[in-house]
């Protein structure tokens, strides 16, 4: 067996509720995996679902040190599970998007001289000027969003530059809020990382750059030039460019793993660390989407994403930089009313039985006799509306349908018709080569997937169970194998 065949690869996922890792070989076979649940494994941080919701109900943060301590615990669990760190050729990972980490002045030197006989969280206890990081669930920056849009000439102009209009959870408005409300914290900050680049920094023992794909979820990077927009930087905070560093392609080989991991865990000093990225860009890679493919995630919220060759101006959704092609793009559409809305109609029609729900769905023809419905339990993102709306084939609005089977099909067809309409607004042309990849909880329901296939007039594929579990981690494997082929020439 060649040395290349013996090599393994580690992928890490710093998600909202847990930190997980998987070890794979060159054939993408899972060898080991482990996870740390923030709420249960680290109760001292007192999070709920991995976050802290503040009294105003809009400010949502997570303790930075919790993520560091979780990494200490995870690496020990991987070692107990049997991972031979000396065989790991390279590692990378992904993280929840938009969240920001604020490194205190003077920490750079500490990162470069970590002591192998001490836990990471002990050494980095005082490393952060802001102990609690604002994360993607935060919605407290409405004022700062308005400021960003006004600074560049409105939401359309901001979307033209960055790929999205201003969103409260995006990092630009979050940094602006920190500067405006916590100036001492901002002034004492040496580096601002995304959660993905923060995680990467832990492994390289140095400040890791932000990658293009995750940077495009900040409302700060010019999508076309892949550089920070000077106009936006000025509106966010003074000297912010120096604190952010220069963004890099998502597949960048950042450097060797820190000596800390070599001496503490037995990593090979030649183990390479590849840039970490955000969870949505990682999903694009993990699903191995090709041009013309569409991914649909059917979860608490539904998302649709696909690759694009050219960016398109949209105000309802996001255009991000591609994580696999520095000159490419990806589109991301998010719909709040997903599985919970499906469950509400299921409960009202068949008292919670998916079996009976599917029987009703299968008993009605495509097109639902001309009846249509859209259902929004909470204020939707696209379109911005709330409530239930039903019309019959005569386009007459109804308060309810006269049969449960029509109600069930109206719900599912309506959800997928909306997704198709917005996909076509992005310039998607459905044809004989179009493939739909479904993931999320509802992708296990063949009756729902049949409607998805009918609405898009395209075949639908699902991922095997283990891929669903590690889809956000598989992003790194593509990078690993490409890099390792060059290193091993095998």
């Amino acid at each position: 067996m060649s040395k290349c065949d013996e090599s393994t690869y580690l992928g890490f996922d710093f998600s909202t509720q847990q930190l997980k890792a998987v070890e794979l070989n060159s054939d993408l076979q899972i060898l080991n995996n482990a996870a740390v649940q923030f709420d249960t494994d680290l109760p001292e941080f007192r999070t709920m679902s991995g976050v802290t919701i503040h009294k105003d109900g809009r400010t949502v943060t997570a303790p930075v040190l919790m993520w560091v301590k979780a990494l200490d615990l995870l690496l020990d669990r991987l070692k107990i599970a049997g991972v031979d760190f000396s065989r790991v050729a390279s590692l990378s990972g992904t993280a929840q998007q938009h969240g920001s980490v604020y490194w205190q002045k003077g920490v750079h030197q500490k990162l470069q001289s970590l002591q192998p006989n001490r836990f990471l969280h002990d050494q980095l206890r005082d490393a952060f000027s802001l102990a609690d990081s604002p994360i993607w669930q935060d919605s407290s920056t409405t004022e700062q969003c308005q400021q960003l849009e006004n600074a560049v000439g409105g939401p359309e102009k901001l979307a033209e530059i960055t790929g999205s209009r201003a969103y409260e959870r995006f990092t630009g408005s979050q940094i602006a809020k920190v500067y405006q409300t916590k100036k001492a914290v901002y002034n004492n900050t040496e580096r601002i990382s995304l959660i993905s680049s923060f995680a990467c920094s832990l492994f390289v023992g140095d400040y890791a750059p932000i990658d293009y794909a995750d940077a495009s979820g900040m409302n700060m990077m010019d999508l076309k030039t892949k550089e920070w927009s000077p106009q936006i930087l000025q509106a966010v905070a003074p000297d912010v460019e120096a604190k952010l560093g220069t963004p890099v392609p998502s597949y960048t080989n950042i450097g060797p793993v820190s000596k800390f991991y070599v001496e503490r865990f037995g990593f090979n000093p030649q183990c390479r660390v590849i840039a970490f990225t955000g969870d949505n860009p990682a999903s694009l890679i993990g699903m191995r989407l090709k041009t013309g493919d569409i991914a649909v995630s059917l979860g608490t919220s539904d998302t649709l994403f696909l690759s694009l060759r050219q960016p398109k101006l949209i105000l309802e959704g996001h255009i991000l930089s591609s994580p696999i092609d520095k000159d490419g793009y990806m589109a991301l559409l998010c719909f709040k009313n997903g599985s919970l809305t499906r469950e509400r109609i299921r409960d009202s029609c068949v008292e919670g039985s998916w079996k009976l729900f599917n029987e009703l769905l299968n008993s009605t023809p495509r097109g639902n006799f001309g009846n249509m419905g859209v259902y929004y339990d909470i204020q939707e993102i696209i379109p911005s509306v709330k409530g239930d709306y039903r019309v019959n084939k005569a386009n007459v609005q109804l308060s309810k349908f006269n049969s449960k089977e029509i109600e069930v099909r109206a719900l599912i067809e309506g959800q997928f018709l909306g997704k198709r309409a917005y996909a076509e607004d992005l310039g998607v042309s459905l044809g004989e080569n179009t493939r739909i990849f479904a993931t999320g909880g509802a992708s296990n329901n063949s009756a729902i997937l049949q409607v998805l296939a009918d609405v898009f007039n395209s075949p639908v594929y699902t991922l095997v169970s283990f891929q669903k579990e590690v889809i956000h981690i598989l992003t790194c494997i593509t990078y690993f194998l490409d890099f390792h082929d060059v290193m091993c020439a095998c």
Side-chain angles (χ1 to χ4, degrees), residues 128-144:
F128 308 103
S129 53
L130 190 64
D132 296 302
S133 285
I135 65 160
W136 67 272
Q137 291 172 309
D138 188 278
S139 60
S140 66
T141 61
T142 304
E143 180 182 352
Q144 288 77 22

Side-chain angles (χ1 to χ4, degrees), residues 458-469:
S458 302
V460 173
Y461 301 86
T462 59
L463 303 176
V464 295
S465 58
F466 88 84
Q467 286 176 305
K468 290 178 183 176
E469 191 65 27

Side-chain angles (χ1 to χ4, degrees), residues 245-350:
T246 303
V248 298
S250 303
Y251 42 82
T252 299
N253 172 11
I254 303 300
V257 70
S258 165
K259 188 168 67 171
F260 169 84
Y261 299 92
V262 176
E263 297 179 357
R264 185 176 179 86
F265 295 100
F267 274 80
N268 187 324
Q270 300 303 315
C271 173
R272 311 304 293 183
V273 179
I274 310 302
F276 284 39
T277 191
D279 52 6
N280 287 305
S283 294
L284 183 82
I285 306 172
M287 284 185 155
R288 302 177 66 88
L289 297 186
K290 300 177 181 178
T291 302
D293 293 342
I294 299 172
V296 179
S297 177
L298 302 172
T300 303
S301 61
D302 290 347
T303 55
L304 180 149
F305 52 94
L306 58 141
S307 294
L308 294 174
R309 290 306 308 165
Q310 294 295 329
K312 188 175 179 68
L313 177 62
I314 57 172
L315 292 180
E316 298 174 323
H318 314 292
I319 303 297
L320 306 176
S321 178
S322 169
I324 54 177
D325 177 4
K326 67 181 180 63
D327 297 319
Y329 304 88
M330 65 175 286
L332 174 68
L333 303 175
C334 186
F335 306 85
K336 286 184 179 179
N337 294 274
S339 63
L340 297 182
T341 303
R342 290 187 285 271
E343 290 167 9
R344 172 174 67 89
I345 300 299
R346 177 205 62 187
D347 294 345
S348 67
C349 289
V350 291

Side-chain angles (χ1 to χ4, degrees), residues 417-438:
L417 283 168
K419 292 173 177 58
R420 173 170 175 164
Y422 283 109
E424 290 179 330
D425 285 345
L426 288 171
V428 172
S429 179
L430 301 174
E432 60 181 16
N433 294 322
T434 300
R435 301 183 301 173
I436 310 297
F437 290 86

